[in-house]
Amino acid sequence: MIRALAFLFCLVVTPLAAEEVVAGLSRDEVRITANFDGSDILIYGAVKRNAPAATEPMEVIITVSGPAQTVNVRKKDWRLGIWVNTSAVEVDEAPSFYAVASSGALRDVLTRTEDLRHRISIPRAIRSVGAPSTVENAAEFTDALIRIRTAKNLYQKLDNSVKLYDQTLFSTTIDLPANLVEGPYDTRIFLVRGGVVVDDYETVINVNKVGLERWIYDLAHQQPLIYGLLSLFIAIVAGWGASAIFRYIRF
């Protein structure tokens, strides 16, 4: 009797969500090999409902975030005929890769309050609080970082890229470029109605170096002396080989 009352109490205090995200990935691991030139990840899922769907249209937002890094952003000015660093800001936490895909324009489907709470948009995903007091317009340094990484396809804002089917099924494809940092890539899926997040789902995509790439990476970080000597030997052999080939061609 006591257990039954406790169960009923839990149901009253923590009611089941009316809508819940159920999702999957086409692959949950990306292997970086010597000839790796990028990869596409299909993210798909459905909405599990315990009640009739709300009248407000459903929107879906999907983010993929690479390992966070501390980044020094420097500003250069033209002084006495040369470019020199005049100021710098350390960005405390910036994802090495970040993609945000949405079923509509992100600014239309999500309120600023929800964006601040869940850190969904690219500027909100970057944390910069340690700018020196001598630096004016510190926000410009964050904007510059976003602009540079967007040009390298490391930051992607993909409006209207999540496909919705009957307000229940959804899917999108995220393009992972070749210049990825190794580590876990946090993947989040947000179900949004009226600009408010009603449910979310999280999983991880593991990005790892394998084969020759892994061997070279481990050698450089664990045995730097051997790595340096091996690099020097390869450079000498390559130079001698090129010289011998040209000498043979000449005669």
Side-chain angles (χ1 to χ4, degrees):
M1 182 65 178
I2 296 176
R3 290 184 179 179
L5 291 174
F7 178 73
L8 291 175
F9 177 77
C10 291
L11 288 179
V12 173
V13 175
T14 57
L16 295 175
E19 294 180 308
E20 182 180 352
V21 176
V22 180
L25 307 172
S26 60
R27 54 194 300 194
D28 58 7
E29 184 179 9
V30 174
R31 297 186 176 186
I32 301 178
T33 60
N35 59 351
F36 179 75
D37 60 355
S39 179
D40 292 334
I41 300 293
L42 173 64
I43 302 174
Y44 56 91
V47 179
K48 178 182 178 182
R49 294 187 172 92
N50 298 314
T55 55
E56 291 179 306
M58 182 183 77
E59 304 288 352
V60 176
I61 303 172
I62 299 173
T63 68
V64 178
S65 178
Q69 302 170 321
T70 299
V71 183
N72 287 313
V73 183
R74 295 178 174 86
K75 181 180 180 181
K76 292 185 177 182
D77 287 327
W78 185 258
R79 302 285 178 83
L80 302 176
I82 59 173
W83 288 100
V84 295
N85 294 324
T86 57
S87 56
V89 168
E90 183 180 89
V91 177
D92 303 271
E93 188 176 291
S96 56
F97 171 86
Y98 195 79
V100 51
S102 52
S103 54
L106 186 62
R107 64 177 181 274
D108 297 332
V109 304
L110 187 71
T111 65
R112 292 185 178 182
T113 302
E114 290 293 280
D115 186 17
L116 180 62
R117 178 180 301 165
H118 296 279
R119 298 177 64 184
I120 293 176
S121 65
I122 294 176
R124 294 300 184 189
I126 298 173
R127 182 174 179 269
S128 180
V129 295
S133 58
T134 56
V135 176
E136 298 180 358
N137 300 322
E140 293 182 355
F141 289 79
T142 301
D143 294 339
L145 175 64
I146 294 174
R147 185 171 62 253
I148 292 170
R149 291 194 170 179
T150 299
K152 295 180 179 180
N153 203 32
L154 290 173
Y155 285 175
Q156 304 172 14
K157 184 173 179 289
L158 308 169
D159 289 342
N160 302 294
S161 62
V162 178
K163 298 178 181 179
L164 286 175
Y165 309 92
D166 299 326
Q167 292 285 293
T168 300
L169 305 177
F170 61 85
S171 67
T172 192
T173 300
I174 302 296
D175 177 25
L176 300 179
N179 49 341
L180 291 178
V181 173
E182 186 180 25
Y185 281 60
D186 296 327
T187 303
R188 300 182 297 167
I189 301 173
F190 299 94
L191 179 62
V192 181
R193 287 192 185 275
V196 177
V197 175
V198 297
D199 192 47
D200 61 80
Y201 174 90
E202 295 188 18
T203 187
V204 173
I205 301 171
N206 292 305
V207 176
N208 301 302
K209 293 183 175 69
V210 296
L212 181 62
E213 285 286 318
R214 166 54 62 187
W215 183 79
I216 293 175
Y217 179 87
D218 289 343
L219 184 65
H221 287 79
Q222 298 175 10
Q223 302 289 340
L225 178 60
I226 297 177
Y227 176 79
L229 293 175
L230 182 61
S231 299
L232 180 61
F233 173 75
I234 293 174
I236 292 173
V237 171
W240 176 83
S243 176
I245 292 173
F246 282 119
R247 207 166 41 242
Y248 175 78
I249 294 175
R250 181 180 298 179
F251 296 102

